[in-house]
Amino acid sequence: MAGGGGGDEVRSGAVRATLAEVAEAAEVSISTVSKVLNGRPGVSDERRAHIERLLQEQGYNRRTATQATMSLIDVLVFEIDSTWAVELIAGVERIAREHGLGVVVSGTLDRTQADPRWLDAVLGRRPVGVLLIGVQLPEAPRGVLQSRQIPVVTIDQGGHARPTEHSVGSADWTGALHATRHLLGLGHRRIGIITGPDDMIASVARLSGFRAALEGAGVELPADYLRRGEFHHRDGLEQGTALLQLPEPPTAIFASNDLQALGVYEAARSLGIRIPEDLSVVGYDDLKAASWVAPALTTIRVPLAEMAEQATRLLVRLRDEPGFAVSHIDLATSLVVRGSTAPPRD
Amino acid sequence: MAGGGGGDEVRSGAVRATLAEVAEAAEVSISTVSKVLNGRPGVSDERRAHIERLLQEQGYNRRTATQATMSLIDVLVFEIDSTWAVELIAGVERIAREHGLGVVVSGTLDRTQADPRWLDAVLGRRPVGVLLIGVQLPEAPRGVLQSRQIPVVTIDQGGHARPTEHSVGSADWTGALHATRHLLGLGHRRIGIITGPDDMIASVARLSGFRAALEGAGVELPADYLRRGEFHHRDGLEQGTALLQLPEPPTAIFASNDLQALGVYEAARSLGIRIPEDLSVVGYDDLKAASWVAPALTTIRVPLAEMAEQATRLLVRLRDEPGFAVSHIDLATSLVVRGSTAPPRD
């Protein structure tokens, strides 16, 4: 686990000298000092405190410690404080820990660019691999990572999935198809949609699945029933308000994520429209909050924890088998029916 | 920024040799190869692709790169997927990035212990410092970190704040006092509380502030109006249901965090009790969801982003001034009045 190169012996030598000095001053063996340094048992509390004090006095510090090979995964996350991102980060952290890997988390507010300082930092850290959550890297930094043999796995809700890149996603098209068929099955014919950003493949796939379900049922989508937004609460509020104020408003709204759906809830409340009596709402993701709101939200469950796990395991595999064939994994989504959907009144 | 010790020259030499070989094969200068490696402009796309291919063929990889000094902060987080934790992590990441520091995030489900492998990994990474979020480390790992001169800052909602440790918190006692005075000011006299865990100082301080407000107003706290829980939605649901089913239920409930308060919402809904007409509810934290629920939640705003910033800045300061005096910072909380509180009916 040493850091490679000829420098380790020199540094180890310096470390041993320091440890020997401390051991001599404390009148204990070097192995006792080592126990204290590494928090192992077998040293009395009093002696431990004494040795710790001596280590500090003698300037034993990290700069002289043997440098272990870093075992890190670098994760770049779009909108790191989103509820969606945190469920993915938690999943990555858990699997990485199982493999003895640390997780370095960096945030970005730009979905299509990497801060050059981020790339420099990653090259300095030389991680096992890079995981992109909701971010699409341009060619230049991709080329740099590739030339350093740092593999990249994308959790693909962010960018354009490319045939040459490893990615893990979920069945967005199928999920949206099921959500819309659920509304059609309840008898809805006037169904609006709030989409996510056009440049995110997950948004495009969800809109496409929505359209396919309508077409399969012979139901028209009026132009003003299609509203574009970001994946935020405020987009659900704004676009939901616009939909509900149309001369002939929809009886059901498919929101492209749960945060938008909660925004639609607020739009309906402020207009005195009841869910599900007057309006059915379907979300997407199944965040925890989806089951806490009233009425509880009917939504498509995206297996965020499993996606994070698969992506992390793929990085580990790429470390062990650098030539592993490019793979794209799509995990299944499922419809969770709760209280926000019902047959239309008319 | 070199990694210290005598090894850098050896490794730099090896790197230069590889770069020279690639430069020769590509018939370009070493500086052009370096540009490609570091993603800098000034190389045509075609030539860049060619050089990247050669770098891969010649086995240029991270193990031979110059090892930069690692500039990391290690963050250990209790319940990493909680909404509360993510707002803190986002704040830490932002300030760390400003200082060119990477953030390694580790999760734990035990509030009072560190996984020994976590400590080993931290020692291997030799971070600038350790930040504890909602976690209390035992003496042994603290001693180890201290002997390695790795400073520790606690965001103190987790543990017992100790006089010898750096920490950043918020005014829990005052916040609870204000929340309770708000309920008293509306005319409530039957006020219940759901607390957090007994071993978390934030819980104890909030209960204490609650009691102080009641005592100041000469209002009794019946024993069955005090319910203990964890900081989860389900505790609000369970304990809220218990409170509301008492022979003489409270007209107001102070929940010790927002998740509990949302659980109380669900308890009230399932019992047909209206908020705020039949029951006032106050939460604590002011998570984003607090303003999304109906009615929007009256709560105490904890400045999570500012706490994260202060804690991160303190770590940076401790790196630059290792002898910096032990400090504890408490940031102000504030009452946010929304729709979940109103005068009692009787």
Side-chain angles (χ1 to χ4, degrees):
Chain A
M1 289 293 285
D8 294 317
E9 282 167 36
V10 176
R11 279 179 300 198
S12 300
V15 172
R16 271 197 296 273
T18 305
L19 294 193
E21 284 164 23
V22 169
E24 199 181 327
E27 297 179 348
V28 298
S29 68
I30 290 181
S31 90
T32 301
V33 178
S34 172
K35 278 179 188 166
V36 171
L37 264 179
N38 294 296
R40 289 197 298 271
V43 186
S44 74
D45 286 353
E46 195 184 345
R47 179 164 287 178
R48 190 180 293 274
H50 181 55
I51 292 169
E52 281 173 359
R53 205 164 48 243
L54 286 170
L55 281 164
Q56 280 188 52
E57 284 169 14
Q58 306 234 356
Y60 178 87
N61 71 31
R62 22 202 164 123
R63 271 180 291 281
T64 58
T66 301
Q67 180 133 13
T69 293
M70 302 301 302
S71 294
L72 296 171
I73 287 179
D74 247 287
V75 184
L76 183 63
V77 191
F78 176 62
E79 291 182 345
I80 191 172
D81 62 344
S82 74
T83 316
W84 177 79
V86 72
E87 297 199 17
L88 288 171
I89 294 169
V92 170
E93 192 279 331
R94 188 162 48 82
I95 302 301
R97 186 147 35 96
E98 281 178 21
H99 289 87
L101 296 168
V103 176
V104 181
V105 173
S106 306
T108 173
L109 295 177
D110 186 333
R111 206 161 44 226
T112 58
Q113 287 233 333
D115 185 333
R117 289 172 304 177
W118 173 80
L119 186 61
D120 287 345
V122 170
L123 299 182
R125 286 192 283 266
R126 297 183 299 160
V128 164
V130 166
L131 193 55
L132 302 176
I133 297 184
V135 182
Q136 169 192 3
L137 275 193
E139 285 299 335
R142 282 189 179 274
V144 172
L145 292 169
Q146 199 174 8
S147 65
R148 305 284 184 123
Q149 301 183 16
I150 299 175
V152 177
V153 171
T154 303
I155 294 189
D156 78 357
Q157 303 220 0
H160 310 289
R162 303 169 201 214
T164 58
E165 89 190 12
H166 299 276
S167 64
V168 175
S170 62
D172 287 294
W173 186 88
T174 317
L177 185 85
H178 287 318
T180 313
R181 282 189 177 165
H182 167 64
L183 294 172
L184 290 163
L186 289 168
H188 292 276
R189 291 298 175 269
R190 283 158 37 204
I191 307 177
I193 181 170
I194 305 171
T195 70
D198 284 349
D199 60 351
M200 288 178 69
I201 198 153
S203 310
V204 177
R206 289 175 199 176
L207 173 58
S208 177
F210 173 80
R211 281 187 192 281
L214 291 190
E215 279 165 21
V219 170
E220 290 283 312
L221 177 66
D224 53 7
Y225 275 25
L226 168 62
R227 317 293 300 199
R228 297 185 188 283
E230 292 285 319
F231 275 142
H232 299 146
H233 182 271
R234 65 173 173 274
D235 299 288
L237 174 57
E238 288 170 13
Q239 303 305 328
T241 302
L243 282 169
L244 294 172
Q245 289 184 326
L246 289 173
E248 191 172 47
T251 62
I253 295 177
F254 172 56
S256 290
N257 79 344
D258 286 352
L259 293 182
Q260 287 183 348
L262 298 186
V264 172
Y265 272 46
E266 193 169 326
R269 272 199 301 273
S270 70
L271 295 169
I273 293 169
R274 294 166 305 165
I275 300 171
E277 293 84 351
D278 308 323
L279 176 71
S280 286
V281 179
V282 179
Y284 206 106
D285 279 342
D286 198 21
L287 302 179
K288 285 177 194 161
S291 58
W292 295 344
V293 291
L297 181 66
T298 296
T299 189
I300 296 295
R301 182 174 179 272
V302 175
L304 296 173
E306 292 87 334
M307 284 163 67
E309 285 183 30
Q310 292 280 354
T312 311
R313 290 191 201 285
L314 182 54
L315 270 189
V316 170
R317 177 136 198 194
L318 288 165
R319 173 193 63 182
D320 301 336
E321 299 176 47
F324 187 65
V326 169
S327 72
H328 178 81
I329 303 164
D330 257 344
L331 296 172
T333 49
S334 54
L335 176 68
V336 183
V337 178
R338 297 200 183 97
S340 66
T341 46
R345 279 195 303 166
D346 37 84
Chain B
M1 288 295 286
D8 294 315
E9 284 168 32
V10 176
R11 278 179 300 198
S12 300
V15 171
R16 272 197 296 273
T18 306
L19 295 192
E21 284 165 23
V22 170
E24 198 182 328
E27 297 178 348
V28 297
S29 68
I30 290 181
S31 89
T32 301
V33 178
S34 173
K35 278 180 189 166
V36 171
L37 264 179
N38 294 296
R40 288 198 298 273
V43 186
S44 74
D45 286 354
E46 194 184 346
R47 180 165 285 177
R48 190 180 294 273
H50 181 55
I51 292 169
E52 280 171 0
R53 203 163 52 242
L54 286 171
L55 281 164
Q56 280 188 52
E57 284 169 13
Q58 306 233 357
Y60 176 86
N61 71 32
R62 353 176 197 148
R63 272 181 292 280
T64 58
T66 301
Q67 181 134 12
T69 293
M70 301 301 302
S71 295
L72 296 172
I73 288 179
D74 248 286
V75 184
L76 182 63
V77 191
F78 176 64
E79 292 183 344
I80 191 172
D81 63 343
S82 75
T83 316
W84 177 80
V86 71
E87 297 199 17
L88 288 171
I89 293 169
V92 170
E93 192 279 329
R94 189 162 47 81
I95 303 300
R97 184 146 37 94
E98 282 177 20
H99 288 87
L101 296 167
V103 176
V104 182
V105 173
S106 306
T108 173
L109 294 177
D110 187 335
R111 207 162 43 225
T112 58
Q113 287 233 333
D115 185 332
R117 287 172 305 176
W118 173 80
L119 186 62
D120 287 345
V122 170
L123 297 181
R125 286 192 283 266
R126 296 184 298 162
V128 164
V130 166
L131 193 55
L132 303 176
I133 296 183
V135 182
Q136 170 192 1
L137 275 193
E139 286 299 336
R142 279 187 182 277
V144 172
L145 292 169
Q146 200 175 6
S147 65
R148 305 285 184 124
Q149 300 183 14
I150 299 174
V152 176
V153 171
T154 303
I155 294 190
D156 78 357
Q157 304 220 358
H160 309 288
R162 303 169 202 215
T164 58
E165 91 191 8
H166 299 276
S167 64
V168 175
S170 62
D172 287 294
W173 185 88
T174 317
L177 185 85
H178 286 320
T180 313
R181 282 190 177 164
H182 168 65
L183 294 172
L184 290 163
L186 289 168
H188 292 276
R189 291 298 176 268
R190 284 158 38 204
I191 307 176
I193 182 170
I194 305 171
T195 71
D198 284 348
D199 60 351
M200 287 179 70
I201 197 153
S203 309
V204 176
R206 289 175 198 176
L207 173 58
S208 177
F210 173 78
R211 281 188 194 280
L214 292 190
E215 279 165 20
V219 171
E220 290 283 313
L221 178 65
D224 54 7
Y225 275 25
L226 169 61
R227 318 292 302 197
R228 298 185 187 281
E230 292 285 318
F231 275 142
H232 299 145
H233 182 271
R234 64 173 174 274
D235 299 286
L237 174 57
E238 287 170 13
Q239 303 304 330
T241 302
L243 281 170
L244 294 172
Q245 289 182 327
L246 289 173
E248 191 173 44
T251 62
I253 295 178
F254 172 55
S256 289
N257 79 346
D258 286 352
L259 293 182
Q260 286 183 349
L262 298 186
V264 172
Y265 272 46
E266 192 168 327
R269 273 198 302 272
S270 69
L271 294 168
I273 292 170
R274 294 166 304 164
I275 299 172
E277 293 85 351
D278 308 324
L279 176 71
S280 286
V281 179
V282 178
Y284 206 107
D285 280 342
D286 197 22
L287 301 179
K288 284 178 193 160
S291 58
W292 295 344
V293 291
L297 180 66
T298 296
T299 189
I300 297 294
R301 183 175 176 269
V302 176
L304 296 173
E306 291 87 336
M307 286 164 65
E309 284 183 31
Q310 292 282 354
T312 310
R313 289 190 202 285
L314 182 54
L315 271 188
V316 171
R317 177 133 197 199
L318 288 164
R319 174 193 62 182
D320 300 336
E321 298 176 48
F324 187 63
V326 169
S327 72
H328 179 80
I329 302 164
D330 258 345
L331 296 172
T333 50
S334 54
L335 176 68
V336 183
V337 177
R338 297 199 185 97
S340 66
T341 47
R345 277 195 303 166
D346 38 86

